[in-house]
Amino acid sequence: MELAVSSRPCAPPRRGGRPLLPVALLLPASVAALLFICGPLLVLAWQSLLEHVPGQVGAAADSPLSYRNYLLFTSPSYLNFLWGTLRISACAALAAVLLSGLIAYRITRIRSGWARKALIGLMLGLTFLSVLVRVYAISLTFGVGGPAGAFLRSLGVALGSREYIECVVILGFLHFLLPIVTLILIGTFQGISGSYYEAARSLGVASWRAHLDTTVRLALPGLYSAFIVAFSLAASSFVIPLVLGQGKVLFLANLAYVRFGEMADYPGGAAVSIVLLAVSLAIVGLLGKLLGNRLGRSA
Amino acid sequence: MRRLLDGLWGAFGGLTVILSVAFLLLPIAIAVMMSFDARTFLGAFPPQAFSWHWYQRFIDEPLYMHGLRNSLLLASLSTLLSVGLGVAAAIGLHKARFRGRQLLVSIFLAPLVVPAVVIGFGLLVTLSALGVVSGMGKLLIAHGVITLPYVIRSVTATLAGLGPSLEEAAMSLGASPWTVIRTVVLPLCRPGIVVGAVLAFTVSFDDVSVGIFLADPESTTLPLALVSMMRSNFDLTIAAASTAMIAVSCIALVLVEWLIGVDRLFGTGTTKR
Amino acid sequence: MIDSSIVALSLSGISKGYGNIGVLHGIDMDLHQGEIVALLGPSGCGKTTTLRAIGGFVAPDSGRIRIKGQDVTRLAVPERDFGIVFQDYALFPHLTVAENIRYGLKHRRYRARPHAERVDELLRLVRMEAFADRYPAQLSGGQKQRVALARALGPNPAVLLLDEPLSALDASVRGKLQVELRQVLREVGITTVIVTHDHEEAAVVADRIVLMHEGRIIQDGPPLGIYDRPRSRFCAEFLGEVNWLAGRVVAHRDDGPVEAELGNGQRIVLAARGPRPALGSALEIGIRPERLALADDAVRPAIRNRVEGRVDRVQANRTNVELCVALDGGQSLMVTHRRDERVPAVGSRVVLGFGGDDAFYWPAEGA
């Protein structure tokens, strides 16, 4: 993870021993980070290797370390949950990137300065919106009493069906992802000059084709990395599947909570959490680096 | 014929954009409208008569009020905490050059990448082991953890835009390293600190996935109360609460715009002056 | 006024390297009180590193730095008695002009005068009195430079360091500001080190130029002095245009001068500069274009040397005329002179003259 840093070192290495100040500044946050960021991850990993006795809270005392909790994931139901998490997140991320791409592209090509600022401000404001408000608004609108729900029901859609619930969950993700991904992609499209598209058009290429060959091709690395971000955010989501899933759609995060909250199975929950962490890092790390490099070079 | 296709394509693109923006805004508008519904039950949209009674119910509900008080307190305290630690850490990182620096930065920013559930669950086990009992205390630490990266990232971006010669100039005018920080670095970091603080407050106020592991009935927050209501008693009091939260978001945005301008959020920039 | 009895700044044996790369190799320099010295050289020669070492921003690997006799080599930046103007001026954006200047007075504990008075005095010195309450963002480049100078001078430091202070300005403003800068520095009488890559700037502003190349001082002297008497090819070419001729020593004249024969057989006489090169040795001879005159109608008694050639090219701009003359034997010479009525036509034959004193020379390498 990179932070923007100025290129010239500002304080020279001194023989007089004045590195105390930066160290003193860093110390409180570093101690807190070690205790409360690193610590929990290690503790969780350790916890996941313990045994849980049904009926008791937490891990059994003096239990030997074992991989048993991870075997949960060999069961078909858990594999289903894992697959469901990945499938729905990927769909939502893909839809988000496509739609946001269109919106972001339009925004960067608007000529009027205040209109552009207003739209960017709108997107920004929407990122500040609480996820609960979104989730509630969507479940209200697409639920039984809401306008969209009533309309769809009149078309014959079963509002209680699993397919519909999954769609509502994806809509929930969209509402959450669209503003963020749009802002990211605005950055991407700002960096792509409109001259390429115009050059293609002047050569007689159809509009859609010109876009595909120039704008989209150039934006591909940015689109891909936005997809990775969206995918990762969706896969590790908790609230959206919790409320909109109505118990039928469960993501890995919800599973961890179920084991913790309803079954008091801390080791099991810890194992699910570690798997969730691994999935999240895998998306950002592997997928991101591997294919991102390929795309970066070809584009 | 090609012209027609091009036109259609353009129209399709425009339509999609409009529909998407509508999708973003309409459900919220519906929720806000329903919050003024005069009916005492959750009826079909649209409301025919309007009243404030859902808001009255919201204020009268002790669970919500208690949660609101806790949320505001918690958000304020954890913002103070993460701004204090984060600004110091960002300045320290800016000045220090040592081998483990990048690793330390990754650790500070880790909560942005690590799923909230993992943080919440992990902290639960860790804090119990450390003997932290108070619900508010646990939440405060947890929210400090998840808000810290926003502060650090924001302040670091501002610092990077300053350039080293300002600090060198201050030193050449006789200022000790601490004085340089106090009189030059901090004032110029103000935009970054403000943005970080606003983000921290918002993140803390909105948090559900971390808090759900750590809160007890005494220290429950507004979002947590809302979530449990959404799953059990899905009525329009939640709509009233949502509208209130939208107002809070708007205030946050206006604050940011007024203090430093929306465009500043898009990159480094020195002070407005 | 330069006070030669006081050594205000002294560097001895300053060396600095980064890893395997040596940046400074044993820099020795002494500045007298009130002297303005320019560190001049191409990029990467080490002049900025030297300046930053004086200020304490860079710690040398070896050597000593003394300011007014006090050994500051181990002292931190705020503890050294100096002021500095950076290339980007580094004015504090959140403070007004007056507050910027006051910053130094406060933190350097300036006691000689009430700060408000001192600020006014400095603003008057750089002619920025009307701008006291403006913010740096509202100033032009030249104005910022003046404020930065006033701020650095505020606490009355022993030494002033200037890091390419005019390079960020437009060429049109630069010339005027060079002269102004020198006037201010002279008026204040402060010992100054200015780093620049522009030899004309160095000549205007400084009393003495220290020419640096690849981490070493290769020549040191007054601007005109090193211009007229460079000690190496690099020095000569860095400071201006040079025509190079190859010759061989054929005689030592009794009254001192050295007689040399050029490649095309023409003979010239060169004034003696220290021990005369051995008879028969090869010489590298340099002549500045403006030192060559059209000798046909010039009535200069000092002209000892005449060479003949054909005018190949004539280029006139507003102030000068540049001629490119091909000598018999193939060598080309650039000649620069003021715009007279008479400008020779391309293709015409001319005689060029120069005095024995007008050329510099040294033994050619690889002779």
Side-chain angles (χ1 to χ4, degrees):
Chain A
M1 227 165 314
E2 273 299 318
L3 284 178
V5 166
S6 55
S7 55
R8 214 168 90 195
C10 71
R14 261 186 235 295
R15 279 171 291 182
R18 212 148 310 204
L20 284 180
L21 187 58
V23 170
L25 288 172
L26 274 174
L27 207 55
S30 307
V31 168
L34 280 171
L35 270 181
F36 302 120
I37 300 177
C38 297
L41 292 176
L42 295 170
V43 166
L44 209 57
W46 166 74
Q47 176 84 198
S48 69
L49 300 172
L50 299 177
E51 259 188 63
H52 174 246
V53 176
Q56 271 189 12
V57 174
D62 301 329
S63 60
L65 296 181
S66 88
Y67 292 97
R68 270 246 317 245
N69 294 306
Y70 288 95
L71 295 178
L72 274 172
F73 280 91
T74 55
S75 71
S77 58
Y78 266 66
L79 284 174
N80 243 329
F81 288 134
L82 178 59
W83 170 238
T85 305
L86 292 174
R87 172 171 56 88
I88 297 176
S89 313
C91 286
L94 192 59
V97 169
L98 290 175
L99 292 173
S100 300
L102 277 170
I103 301 176
Y105 177 72
R106 274 312 173 104
I107 291 182
T108 52
R109 299 295 184 246
I110 290 181
R111 249 163 290 211
S112 145
W114 73 262
R116 206 180 329 126
K117 260 190 98 167
L119 279 171
I120 295 181
L122 178 65
M123 288 298 148
L124 195 63
L126 286 170
T127 57
F128 274 94
L129 193 63
S130 163
V131 66
L132 282 172
V133 173
R134 299 180 205 277
V135 150
Y136 179 70
I138 299 252
S139 68
L140 196 61
T141 308
F142 288 89
V144 173
F151 174 67
L152 287 167
R153 191 210 257 144
S154 72
L155 291 180
V157 176
L159 294 187
S161 69
R162 198 198 153 81
E163 290 75 25
Y164 183 70
I165 291 181
E166 273 192 22
C167 287
V168 175
V169 169
I170 293 183
L171 285 176
F173 277 127
L174 272 181
H175 204 280
F176 167 58
L177 292 172
L178 273 175
I180 301 177
V181 179
T182 305
L183 288 175
I184 294 176
L185 290 177
I186 285 178
T188 306
F189 283 112
Q190 263 175 352
I192 298 177
S193 160
S195 332
Y196 297 113
Y197 168 70
E198 284 164 20
R201 292 286 279 145
S202 75
L203 292 171
V205 181
S207 172
W208 64 270
R209 183 74 196 278
H211 273 307
L212 211 56
D213 287 338
T214 59
T215 321
V216 174
R217 177 76 64 82
L218 288 169
L220 221 42
L223 289 171
Y224 185 70
S225 83
F227 171 75
I228 296 291
V229 169
F231 189 10
S232 172
L233 282 173
S236 30
S237 182
F238 177 73
V239 184
I240 294 175
L242 180 72
V243 176
L244 293 176
Q246 296 186 41
K248 296 211 177 125
V249 172
L250 280 172
F251 271 36
L252 285 178
N254 307 118
L255 279 179
Y257 184 68
V258 160
R259 292 216 88 90
F260 150 76
E262 292 172 25
M263 299 163 63
D265 176 6
Y266 287 26
V272 176
S273 305
I274 296 289
V275 170
L276 171 60
L277 179 62
V279 165
S280 175
L281 289 179
I283 294 174
V284 174
L286 296 177
L287 271 188
K289 292 238 174 80
L290 290 181
L291 292 178
N293 281 336
R294 271 243 319 257
L295 274 175
R297 257 180 278 143
S298 63
Chain B
M1 177 59 182
R2 175 177 278 185
R3 271 279 198 82
L4 183 63
L5 276 179
D6 280 355
L8 276 179
W9 166 247
F12 172 71
L15 193 64
T16 315
V17 172
I18 294 176
L19 282 178
S20 305
V21 176
F23 166 68
L24 287 173
L25 294 176
L26 283 179
I28 300 176
I30 291 172
V32 171
M33 269 207 281
M34 291 294 278
S35 71
F36 291 103
D37 192 348
R39 289 171 288 186
T40 53
F41 55 92
L42 175 52
F45 182 83
Q48 309 297 342
F50 298 95
S51 119
W52 287 92
H53 80 98
W54 292 112
Y55 289 88
Q56 192 58 52
R57 277 222 222 169
F58 174 56
I59 297 177
D60 289 339
E61 172 68 58
L63 183 63
Y64 287 148
M65 285 300 107
H66 192 65
L68 180 61
R69 207 176 314 132
N70 282 340
S71 284
L72 287 173
L73 184 63
L74 186 59
S76 312
L77 288 178
S78 56
T79 300
L80 277 173
L81 183 62
S82 58
V83 165
L85 290 179
V87 171
I91 297 179
L93 285 172
H94 174 69
K95 281 173 133 11
R97 296 277 181 270
F98 57 92
R99 239 165 319 189
R101 191 177 166 279
Q102 203 47 46
L103 177 64
L104 190 58
V105 167
S106 299
I107 295 179
F108 282 139
L109 298 184
L112 291 175
V113 180
V114 174
V117 160
V118 176
I119 299 178
F121 203 162
L123 273 175
L124 171 69
V125 184
T126 313
L127 290 177
S128 314
L130 285 176
V132 181
V133 175
S134 140
M136 260 310 214
K138 286 190 269 188
L139 282 172
L140 182 58
I141 293 176
H143 282 198
V145 163
I146 59 175
T147 54
L148 188 65
Y150 294 94
V151 176
I152 291 185
R153 206 168 50 169
S154 175
V155 176
T156 303
T158 314
L159 279 174
L162 289 184
S165 45
L166 281 174
E167 292 169 66
E168 290 180 345
M171 284 199 280
S172 78
L173 293 168
S176 69
W178 170 241
T179 308
V180 172
I181 291 178
R182 190 172 48 88
T183 56
V184 175
V185 177
L186 278 178
L188 291 175
C189 269
R190 211 177 50 177
I193 299 178
V194 167
V195 170
V198 171
L199 285 172
F201 190 89
T202 310
V203 167
S204 167
F205 193 80
D206 285 346
D207 167 68
V208 171
S209 357
V210 175
I212 203 169
F213 289 91
L214 299 168
D216 53 36
E218 248 311 294
S219 60
T220 200
T221 63
L222 181 61
L224 289 175
L226 287 172
V227 166
S228 72
M229 281 305 218
M230 273 190 234
R231 303 176 75 196
S232 58
N233 180 16
F234 193 86
D235 69 6
L236 290 171
T237 324
I238 310 177
S242 298
T243 313
M245 290 180 83
I246 295 174
V248 171
S249 294
C250 287
I251 294 176
L253 189 61
V254 167
L255 252 182
V256 169
E257 165 61 37
W258 173 57
L259 283 170
I260 47 201
V262 165
D263 350 280
R264 303 277 177 222
L265 280 171
F266 274 106
T268 63
T270 46
T271 42
K272 220 173 191 171
R273 281 152 151 197
Chain C
M1 291 306 303
I2 299 180
D3 185 345
S4 322
S5 63
I6 305 177
V7 174
L9 173 65
S10 159
L11 275 70
S12 33
I14 298 294
S15 293
K16 176 76 185 168
Y18 292 104
N20 296 340
I21 305 172
V23 177
L24 295 178
H25 304 106
I27 302 291
D28 295 303
M29 218 166 71
D30 280 341
L31 271 75
H32 295 123
Q33 169 63 40
E35 233 192 321
I36 305 171
V37 166
L39 294 182
L40 176 66
S43 311
C45 68
K47 53 192 194 294
T48 305
T49 311
T50 307
L51 193 80
R52 288 172 68 77
I54 300 173
F57 304 106
V58 159
D61 297 332
S62 61
R64 290 251 163 283
I65 302 173
R66 284 186 186 77
I67 298 181
K68 285 261 173 78
Q70 181 199 22
D71 186 341
V72 299
T73 324
R74 289 198 170 272
L75 293 185
V77 172
E79 293 163 9
R80 304 188 188 200
D81 187 9
F82 77 107
I84 183 167
V85 175
F86 290 98
Q87 196 170 354
D88 60 3
Y89 317 124
L91 295 180
F92 303 130
H94 60 300
L95 301 178
T96 61
V97 163
E99 286 166 353
N100 260 278
I101 300 178
R102 217 193 301 264
Y103 190 92
L105 299 177
K106 178 169 170 206
H107 294 288
R108 284 260 182 222
R109 314 252 161 96
Y110 179 80
R111 295 276 144 79
R113 274 220 184 87
H115 291 182
E117 258 184 56
R118 178 73 174 152
V119 170
D120 285 337
E121 184 185 25
L122 289 160
L123 287 175
R124 244 176 290 130
L125 177 69
V126 296
R127 298 182 298 114
M128 292 283 290
E129 308 97 304
F131 296 84
D133 292 322
R134 301 266 183 97
Y135 283 93
Q138 302 165 295
L139 302 177
S140 72
Q143 290 168 336
K144 283 191 216 172
Q145 197 257 6
R146 283 188 248 158
V147 173
L149 185 61
R151 184 179 70 174
L153 289 172
N156 201 14
V159 168
L160 178 67
L161 306 177
L162 303 169
D163 187 1
E164 311 242 24
L166 303 176
S167 64
L169 301 171
D170 291 333
S172 49
V173 189
R174 219 179 290 158
K176 199 167 75 101
L177 278 175
Q178 282 167 4
V179 174
E180 271 183 34
L181 179 60
R182 180 170 171 85
Q183 280 173 344
V184 168
L185 294 176
R186 273 250 151 284
E187 194 177 320
V188 175
I190 184 169
T191 314
T192 306
V193 179
I194 170 171
V195 159
T196 177
H197 60 273
D198 179 351
H199 60 92
E200 281 175 18
E201 183 166 297
V204 170
V205 179
D207 298 318
R208 179 156 65 100
I209 296 181
V210 170
L211 196 55
M212 288 181 70
H213 184 46
E214 288 176 352
R216 289 185 174 79
I217 296 178
I218 51 175
Q219 198 163 354
D220 173 349
L224 287 180
I226 65 173
Y227 183 77
D228 288 335
R229 306 253 183 288
R231 249 188 255 139
S232 74
R233 186 163 183 134
F234 174 82
C235 298
E237 289 185 331
F238 192 82
L239 297 171
E241 300 280 342
V242 195
N243 292 300
W244 294 109
L245 296 168
R248 189 167 293 280
V249 181
V250 292
H252 288 175
R253 295 271 185 95
D254 298 326
D255 46 337
V258 169
E259 191 170 326
E261 184 177 285
L262 299 179
N264 61 1
Q266 286 178 328
R267 292 210 173 184
I268 58 175
V269 175
L270 302 165
R273 303 277 167 81
R276 297 185 286 194
L279 288 171
S281 60
L283 291 180
E284 195 168 40
I285 307 165
I287 312 175
R288 302 270 184 210
E290 67 272 12
R291 292 306 211 176
L292 291 165
L294 294 169
D296 319 21
D297 38 343
V299 193
R300 281 169 47 185
I303 290 190
R304 317 271 297 262
N305 302 303
R306 287 176 159 70
V307 291
E308 277 191 38
R310 190 192 74 247
V311 177
D312 265 352
R313 205 178 68 231
V314 176
Q315 184 127 355
N317 60 27
R318 275 172 300 172
T319 48
N320 293 326
V321 172
E322 267 179 31
L323 305 172
C324 186
V325 175
L327 297 184
D328 309 327
Q331 177 96 45
S332 266
L333 290 181
M334 293 284 303
V335 183
T336 311
H337 64 83
R338 297 255 308 272
R339 264 173 62 193
D340 305 306
E341 296 88 39
R342 188 189 161 257
V343 174
V346 175
S348 59
R349 285 198 70 80
V350 290
V351 176
L352 299 174
F354 60 94
D357 233 0
D358 287 326
F360 38 82
Y361 60 93
W362 41 75
E365 273 168 57

